[in-house]
Amino acid sequence: MSRNSTPPPDNDGDGDDNDDDASLVGRWFSVDGNQGVVRYVGPVSGTRGTWLGVEWADAGRGKHGGTRNGHRYFRCRWAADGGGGGSFIRRVARIDWGQTVLAAARARYAGADGAVVPRAIDGRRRGRIEAVGFDRVAGQQADLRTLATLGLDSLRVYGVGHNRLEREETRRLLGAGTRTLLLANNYLTRWSAVTDILDALRGVETLDVSANHFATPLGAPPPPPECGRGSCATRLDTLRLDSSPGLTWHDASAAAAQLRARAVSFGWSGVSALASAALPAPRIDGLEELRLECNRITDIAALSAQLPRLRVLSLRGNRTLVDILPNSDAAEPPPVLFPALESLNLADTGISSWAAVDRLALLPRLATLHLAQTPLFETAAASSSSSPDAARTADVPRAQTVGRLGRITKLDGSAVSADERADLERYYLALCARQLTESHEQSPPSPNDNPTAAATVDLLAQAFPRIPELVAKHGAPPRTADQPRSGLKHRLASVSFEIARGADVRSAAVMRSVARRLIRSMLVRQLHPVAARLAGSRAGFAVYLCADPSADADAWVLLDPATSRDLAFYGLEDRGSVIRILLPPA
């Protein structure tokens, strides 16, 4: 332990050079390039004077866990078992305790006192270049009252200070104009310091205090009962607490409740539990957007009761999350969870089953969904890349998702149009029927191996909840006995080409028909040259497909030559499909 002891400068702005010892406990500091937090201030047995018991950010620098000669003075929170990261040091002058918000703002925007505004710039080979307008820009920045965004990241800010005059000056210069306050990676350790800053800067709407040095329990008190909407000074739009591994979800939600934040980001913080019987998180009626990205969350059901008005939820990067909603007992009606949720980001999570996606249909207002980079989509993408019908199977994840969730209007950042929805739902019906066929082929023979169309729908509905709705909308899928087997000959379909003339495909007069066999993975744009030869015309015609005339002879689908879809996507199978080449009326 060093015995070099000199008074520190006035670091808290209280106007003297002798800070109260108790106020230093919990303060972040740096000395000789090393950072840490004060855990103890006072005497140490066998020595003279006052010592600082500190825990270093780099535990390897420490000599003990807060114990000396068998007596424990403090406990290290970060080192394993509370040991290894602590030391005793003197209050030397070279300790840097940080600076106030106002001092940081002046250093960042106003520059050092007496700084000379350059009148010329060294243009190297072009010589000296006259600088015009620098004095005006410097003058505008020096007027802190004009700054709507105050970027003070990594400037060693510890608070607003305790000096009454400095607080008044902070409120006068920064309080009215500042709307966005960025305080990430500073010297903040106490939540009271954050609320003191917001008390001085009452116009702040967006606050970022990520990557600071808060520790649980945070100590954020609940808002007073009389704090109705708009009746209290503090009402944030957005609060960011990312990269705060010392905090729990209870701490973050308590901070959001106190500040009545509309949106909160609490990612990259190692959070795993969102519910605690011993310490229930507060209900937050005003929170509408929540980002819990890149944590270790496994269950989010507890959030539904806590955040009844949540509209946007991002869980991106939680690889430990394999399901969203509980698999409730079928004998009981499922509970209504997240009644206001409209957007859900599950990209790069552990979602690996379509059953988990099916349960998302219980969210009554869900319209936007992200599922990219999940095991579910990665497996589907891998199988499609090795499939002989890759152009068709590449659409499987999107078709499966849109087919299962009828209210989705945007998937993985791409809007789902009405035409695409119809296409994907038809494809989903075909996929379901094909899956049912494969399961029948792997089962022992049965008298029911060739069910009727109605029986096929009933069988599908048992495994795929939305099938009855889709059958009513698009017609029944092909019967299981008609499903194709593997191999090239089983991927060929007998098709009847009809050359017709008229204004409407349903009532057009058929002039002649030609039988052909087509491979079902043939692209639509490859079909059009064939149709042109049969029609005897390179342009002026349209091509329609009726995949199953026995089910619905009027179910014609326009085959757009600009699309990259294959014929199987539109339901072409070896069951008498008809392709009608429609020429304009004579």
Side-chain angles (χ1 to χ4, degrees), residues 89-294:
I89 64 173
R90 293 287 192 182
R91 271 182 81 180
V92 294
R94 65 180 185 275
I95 294 178
D96 178 13
W97 299 97
Q99 58 183 338
T100 63
V101 168
L102 183 58
R106 283 172 168 161
R108 171 70 174 81
Y109 294 100
D113 293 339
V116 178
V117 177
R119 298 297 178 184
I121 301 174
D122 184 2
R124 296 186 179 181
R125 289 182 300 174
R126 297 185 179 183
R128 301 283 288 177
I129 301 175
E130 182 180 2
V132 179
F134 271 28
D135 51 350
R136 179 174 57 83
V137 173
Q140 289 177 344
Q141 285 202 153
D143 186 359
L144 301 179
R145 295 172 297 180
T146 64
L147 297 177
T149 299
L150 202 58
L152 304 180
D153 293 343
S154 305
L155 288 182
R156 308 169 7 262
V157 175
Y158 73 86
V160 75
H162 302 292
N163 183 282
R164 181 178 58 82
L165 295 179
E166 183 172 6
R167 280 175 171 258
E168 292 177 355
E169 187 74 353
T170 302
R171 185 175 289 108
R172 184 181 69 84
L173 294 177
L174 306 175
T178 304
R179 296 293 177 265
T180 300
L181 180 59
L182 309 179
L183 289 172
N185 191 32
N186 275 291
Y187 280 17
L188 296 169
T189 59
R190 301 178 177 125
W191 189 248
S192 59
V194 175
T195 56
D196 286 345
I197 292 172
L198 293 177
D199 184 61
L201 280 66
R202 298 198 173 189
V204 170
E205 298 171 353
T206 298
L207 174 66
D208 187 352
V209 287
S210 303
N212 274 281
H213 310 285
F214 303 116
T216 188
L218 187 61
E226 65 273 11
C227 263
R229 188 177 182 88
S231 63
C232 292
T234 304
R235 174 68 167 91
L236 282 187
D237 180 80
T238 303
L239 171 64
R240 300 192 189 114
L241 276 169
D242 298 323
S243 302
S244 301
L247 299 181
T248 65
W249 167 242
H250 181 275
D251 295 320
S253 57
Q258 181 196 12
L259 302 180
R260 299 184 301 133
R262 185 195 63 83
V264 171
S265 181
F266 185 42
W268 296 270
S269 299
V271 178
S272 57
L274 298 179
S276 171
L279 195 63
R283 176 185 171 104
I284 314 175
D285 289 326
L287 190 63
E288 298 179 3
E289 298 182 13
L290 177 62
R291 288 168 174 80
L292 294 170
E293 299 176 352
C294 298

Side-chain angles (χ1 to χ4, degrees), residues 454-494:
T456 298
V457 173
D458 292 339
L459 289 172
L460 289 173
Q462 296 175 18
F464 308 102
R466 199 167 169 245
I467 286 295
E469 175 190 347
L470 296 180
V471 168
K473 182 178 179 182
H474 302 292
R479 291 173 294 175
T480 58
D482 298 331
Q483 288 295 312
R485 301 177 184 270
S486 59
L488 177 60
K489 69 176 183 179
H490 295 296
R491 291 191 287 120
L492 292 172
S494 297

Side-chain angles (χ1 to χ4, degrees), residues 27-49:
R27 283 283 295 273
W28 196 261
F29 71 93
S30 66
V31 59
D32 300 333
N34 299 287
Q35 294 190 358
V37 63
V38 178
R39 300 291 189 203
Y40 168 79
V41 180
V44 175
S45 178
T47 66
R48 295 180 179 178

Side-chain angles (χ1 to χ4, degrees), residues 286-350:
L287 190 63
E288 298 179 3
E289 298 182 13
L290 177 62
R291 288 168 174 80
L292 294 170
E293 299 176 352
C294 298
N295 285 299
R296 297 195 294 269
I297 296 169
T298 58
D299 184 11
I300 66 165
L303 291 178
S304 180
Q306 184 190 2
L307 309 175
R309 297 182 183 175
L310 189 66
R311 296 188 305 103
V312 178
L313 176 61
S314 177
L315 299 165
R316 180 178 63 87
N318 284 271
R319 299 292 292 183
T320 52
L321 188 67
V322 297
D323 206 343
I324 300 299
L325 302 178
N327 188 6
S328 60
D329 187 353
E332 300 178 0
V336 177
L337 299 178
F338 300 100
L341 191 65
E342 300 172 1
S343 175
L344 179 61
N345 190 340
L346 298 175
D348 198 24
T349 60

